[in-house]
Amino acid sequence: MMPREFDAEEESVVEGERERMRALNSHFVLIDLHSSWHSATHIPTSTFDYLKKSTALPNSLSQAFHRTRPRRRSEISSSASSVPSIRRPLDRLAPGNGLSSVSVLTTSRSGDASELDLFLELVPLRMRDELFGHQEIGELIEVVMDLGRQPLARFPSGDWVISEQPVKPEDLRHAISKVGEFSDDNRSGIDSSLHRISAIRNRKMQIIGLTCRVGRAMSGSAEVIRDLVEGGGSILVIGPPGVGKTTLIREMARMLADEHKKRVVIVDTSNEIGGDGDVPHSGIGRARRMQVPNVHMQHNVMIEAVENHMPETIIIDEIGTELEALAASTIAQRGVQLVGTAHGMTIENIMNNPSLQILVGGIESVTLGDEEARKRKVQKTILERKGPPTFTCAVEMISRTVYHVHHRLDMTVDAILAGKSPRFEVRCMDSEADSSLKAIDSVSTHEKNHLKESQLDNGEDRRSQIESDEEDGDYSPKSSDKLSRNITCSEGRPLVYVYTFKILEADLLQVVSVMGLENEIDVTDDIGTSDAILVSSSEMKQNPWIRTVSRFHQVPVFVMKSNTMAKMVKAVRMILEMDAFGSTSKRGPRSTFGIEIDDDAPKRNPSLEEIDALEVACVTVSVLPLYNDDWLIYARFHFSGEVRLAIEYIVIPGGEPVELLPRRSDIIARQLELVESYQLAAENSGTEQSPRLQILPQKLIKKTSPGKYPKSTPSLSKEISLKSLTGGVGGGTVSRLPLLPE
Ligand SMILES: Nc1ncnc2c1ncn2[C@@H]1O[C@H](COP(=O)(O)OP(=O)(O)OP(=O)(O)O)[C@@H](O)[C@H]1O
């Protein structure tokens, strides 16, 4: 029977069936491509199981049954040419089985299925029949045939014995006859396919075992790290054998070449990325492929690719030797984006591999001077990174669907060398998600080990989907998305966790401590569980991925133009929603993925004296030595630039009180305003005729009814109502007053 193309009406019916299939969540759809094909139906898995057991279904039908996703229109029509007629076996099944509708159906064969057919041809017939009976045939990973042993099939669910009959020499001969020549790395392939056949030889160099791997082009498999690919940085993919590294970088090559129109050259040592044969597989898109005549020449071909073919990106699978690592480093230095893979579970494995160390910048042992070692609180001999890593970022593939993303490989390496746990982001991909959807989630760094174990064991992902990626779309952070926390602040509210980028956590904590907000805000090194990200604007410019990550985790980003304490205080207030943001912006409603921490704008132009009092700097600092190595710093500000400087250089970082110069009461009021904007308390340390402020390293406690300022300790009777002093401005009190030295 001659196959034919769909006409417009048929196309629309096929589309309709796909819709129904989605709506019914049915597992299989059969569409007759030959004649009365419009009698398509959806059959449940149980019926299919019955069909499978009851009859020897033709291979292509069996494979088609296993496809759970609707096919693209082009796949359906182009594969029609290889449709076998299955009318007869189904006719035979129909009576009495409640399968009457099946008798008029046939199926199509997909691109995947025809490639799997090519693979299955190398499996001896007796094993092939058994294999077809396996319900995961569509997800077959490898067939292993060792002489004299039972043949095995590897599926995502585990190994499966294909037949009790051991592998015979003729079985191996059959398989070898279907593949091309084996190269010096004992690998071969099947023309026009991505399959990889690896041989084990005896001492006489005869082949006594085969590992036959099914290769697939998985469109959408790189979706979960699209931001890294688009970012243009070099990406190192690390993972154990068989986890899916080649499949991932093949898709990255296609993405870069087709979607980003980059000049991509693949150095394809075993023809695994672009498939066997001189015409590369369509899975690499428009990327060009350079074959490697012998595995020891991989590094030469890498350099040749840069020198001869003007690539913007080079893709290289399995960087395994020192020469290859050196070549990769040379390429990166020439400004070419590099996407490469290396075997290993984690970045530590690469660091511990002397041949590959250069990929992470190299490691050297450094001996510090006594003082330096004491200052750093480390041993005298430490390990340090020698230079910049070859790759900008790294992806540890934990499984096909769980990736650990290290956005800054240099920082990860430095953290590991310093004995700290590196920061990384966990991304999970819904393996069944449509390629147009990202389905990723993140979990805590601290859960790393647990996650590795549990997800490797049972393959379960926690999933969430991003539906909108609008640059400026506003949103409310969804606290429900966060991991549940046990810690709550004193008022029963959950502690707010802040993740900082290029902002010293110690500074933030110091500000928080002086503001007395330790019970309300804390820092975290896990972006996935954070409630806010605090970042310097320079860092934000250099690392646009921060925005992507924040959008993904739905965490607002607070951007500080400068790392001053004032900005930090403002940021803390905004994070805790003590100060408003977004709607008050001059530019109208803004995205919460980049909230700028603005300065407090002056309400009116200040006078010269006010400028002095509020902004100008000149300080005399008295340093009083105390016993046991402590110092007490007592500052008097002759020009009162006082307020900001005093707060930012002494009160907050040092936790010390500062006394300002006597000022007119209206200026004191402005000073007090500024002090309060830092959430700090102040008191009058002068007289009524000559008032002067003393800024206290204590949290301002606002009263609900202004005008009443309860006295604290009677002996510290200097505390006064600043409101009365300044004509209405102010309104704070302190819980404790400091004793200053005479
Ligand atoms: N996202 C995916 N969906 C379905 N199958 C996949 C996916 N990724 C990989 N596979 C399958 O898993 C098997 C191993 O994949 P791949 O060859 O890419 O792994 P690898 O990490 O490069 O292995 P090695 O290090 O041994 O070369 C192949 O059969 C491939 O078709």
Side-chain angles (χ1 to χ4, degrees), residues 203-216:
R203 294 176 64 179
K204 292 180 198 154
M205 300 307 284
Q206 292 156 332
I207 294 177
I208 52 163
L210 288 174
T211 307
C212 314
R213 174 172 293 180
V214 181
R216 296 180 179 86

Side-chain angles (χ1 to χ4, degrees), residues 380-425:
K380 280 191 71 176
T381 307
I382 57 162
L383 293 176
E384 278 194 347
R385 183 165 50 82
K386 260 192 216 161
T390 303
F391 293 90
T392 326
C393 53
V395 175
E396 291 169 345
M397 283 189 81
I398 306 304
S399 71
R400 253 185 225 172
T401 51
V402 181
Y403 303 173
H404 287 181
V405 175
H406 296 257
H407 290 280
R408 292 276 303 269
L409 183 55
D410 54 352
M411 283 169 74
T412 291
V413 174
D414 292 347
I416 294 170
L417 291 175
K420 297 180 192 156
S421 21
R423 288 180 173 190
F424 60 84
E425 191 193 353

Side-chain angles (χ1 to χ4, degrees), residues 119 138-142 154 156 187 194-196 212-222 237-250 272 317-318 341-344 397 399-401 403 429 431:
F119 179 87
E139 287 157 63
L140 178 66
I141 296 173
E142 278 179 349
R154 295 195 170 131
R187 288 183 182 179
L194 300 170
H195 311 311
R196 184 183 90 185
C212 314
R213 174 172 293 180
V214 181
R216 296 180 179 86
M218 294 299 301
S219 172
S221 57
V237 179
I238 303 165
V243 74
K245 300 180 295 295
T246 310
T247 310
L248 178 71
I249 61 167
R250 182 185 298 123
E272 224 190 319
D317 204 3
E318 290 187 24
T341 72
H343 279 144
M397 283 189 81
S399 71
R400 253 185 225 172
T401 51
Y403 303 173
M429 187 172 64
S431 50

Side-chain angles (χ1 to χ4, degrees), residues 545-673:
W545 55 265
I546 295 174
R547 204 182 285 275
T548 320
V549 169
S550 74
R551 191 176 292 118
F552 169 64
H553 290 292
Q554 301 214 332
V555 177
V557 184
F558 293 82
V559 186
M560 298 199 349
K561 274 198 182 142
S562 56
N563 286 7
T564 61
M565 292 289 180
K567 291 265 166 57
M568 201 93 84
V569 170
K570 180 90 176 150
V572 168
R573 292 178 57 81
M574 285 169 85
I575 290 168
L576 291 177
E577 294 179 15
M578 294 160 136
D579 281 354
F581 61 85
S583 55
T584 56
S585 158
K586 288 173 219 133
R587 284 187 283 155
R590 262 187 308 181
S591 159
T592 44
F593 301 113
I595 303 154
E596 278 180 18
I597 313 294
D598 295 324
D599 276 325
D600 292 321
K603 293 182 182 71
R604 59 181 170 79
N605 287 342
S607 67
L608 278 182
E609 195 187 353
E610 281 172 344
I611 290 172
D612 258 6
L614 300 168
E615 304 293 343
V616 182
C618 188
V619 203
T620 304
V621 181
S622 317
V623 181
L624 304 177
L626 297 178
Y627 60 93
N628 72 9
D629 282 353
D630 275 350
W631 298 84
L632 183 66
I633 302 171
Y634 178 52
R636 269 177 201 280
F637 287 73
H638 296 284
F639 298 91
S640 23
E642 358 203 277
V643 182
R644 263 184 215 288
L645 284 163
I647 292 173
E648 294 191 6
Y649 289 91
I650 296 180
V651 181
I652 292 178
E656 299 292 334
V658 169
E659 187 175 44
L660 306 177
L661 282 178
R663 292 283 172 188
R664 284 195 334 251
S665 61
D666 59 318
I667 290 178
I668 296 257
R670 299 292 308 279
Q671 287 183 326
L672 188 62
E673 244 181 276

Side-chain angles (χ1 to χ4, degrees), residues 162-398:
I162 303 173
S163 149
E164 295 300 323
Q165 293 287 315
V167 174
K168 298 181 191 137
E170 55 266 32
D171 294 332
L172 291 178
R173 274 200 297 276
H174 168 85
I176 294 164
S177 72
K178 301 284 178 192
V179 303
E181 236 174 77
F182 285 84
S183 54
D184 59 355
D185 60 350
N186 277 320
R187 288 183 182 179
S188 181
I190 301 173
D191 214 1
S192 312
S193 83
L194 300 170
H195 311 311
R196 184 183 90 185
I197 321 299
S198 310
I200 296 178
R201 295 176 189 269
N202 64 13
R203 294 176 64 179
K204 292 180 198 154
M205 300 307 284
Q206 292 156 332
I207 294 177
I208 52 163
L210 288 174
T211 307
C212 314
R213 174 172 293 180
V214 181
R216 296 180 179 86
M218 294 299 301
S219 172
S221 57
E223 210 51 50
V224 76
I225 51 165
R226 179 179 275 279
D227 56 330
L228 304 188
V229 179
E230 287 173 352
S234 291
I235 307 166
L236 177 63
V237 179
I238 303 165
V243 74
K245 300 180 295 295
T246 310
T247 310
L248 178 71
I249 61 167
R250 182 185 298 123
E251 173 62 1
M252 286 157 91
R254 189 204 59 76
M255 203 183 244
L256 283 163
D258 286 7
E259 296 175 26
H260 298 280
K261 307 282 178 262
K262 286 218 174 177
R263 293 188 300 274
V264 179
V265 173
I266 298 169
V267 176
D268 203 1
T269 310
S270 313
N271 278 4
E272 224 190 319
I273 308 179
D276 227 35
D278 290 341
V279 179
H281 191 275
S282 58
I284 66 168
R286 290 151 47 113
R288 296 180 76 197
R289 185 262 294 269
M290 287 178 76
Q291 298 191 35
V292 180
N294 113 27
V295 72
H296 305 294
M297 289 177 67
Q298 176 171 296
H299 61 280
N300 291 332
V301 179
M302 287 165 74
I303 301 292
E304 192 187 317
V306 182
E307 289 176 347
N308 292 356
H309 303 293
M310 212 173 65
E312 288 169 293
T313 305
I314 287 202
I315 310 271
I316 169 88
D317 204 3
E318 290 187 24
I319 302 174
T321 67
E322 196 165 355
L323 281 174
E324 286 157 12
L326 271 169
S329 155
T330 310
I331 291 171
Q333 279 163 25
R334 296 190 193 186
V336 176
Q337 181 187 25
L338 197 61
V339 177
T341 72
H343 279 144
M345 288 293 286
T346 60
I347 291 167
E348 281 109 307
N349 297 147
I350 307 296
M351 291 165 68
N352 293 335
N353 181 336
S355 307
L356 300 186
Q357 255 179 26
I358 189 171
L359 298 179
V360 296
I363 294 166
E364 63 188 356
S365 152
V366 178
T367 307
L368 302 175
D370 288 342
E371 199 164 319
E372 184 68 14
R374 213 177 16 253
K375 226 196 274 173
R376 293 203 205 175
K377 295 188 181 140
V378 291
Q379 291 177 336
K380 280 191 71 176
T381 307
I382 57 162
L383 293 176
E384 278 194 347
R385 183 165 50 82
K386 260 192 216 161
T390 303
F391 293 90
T392 326
C393 53
V395 175
E396 291 169 345
M397 283 189 81
I398 306 304

Side-chain angles (χ1 to χ4, degrees), residues 691-708:
R692 63 195 304 177
L693 270 194
Q694 187 171 44
I695 309 169
L696 306 173
Q698 287 163 33
K699 186 187 177 186
L700 172 77
I701 302 167
K702 284 267 185 192
K703 305 308 288 182
T704 41
S705 65
K708 294 274 179 208

Side-chain angles (χ1 to χ4, degrees), residues 120-138:
L120 292 170
E121 271 174 27
L122 65 81
V123 179
L125 199 60
R126 67 184 171 91
M127 300 182 201
R128 212 182 305 168
D129 286 344
E130 297 293 331
L131 265 177
F132 283 134
H134 197 285
Q135 57 180 8
E136 285 179 282
I137 179 79

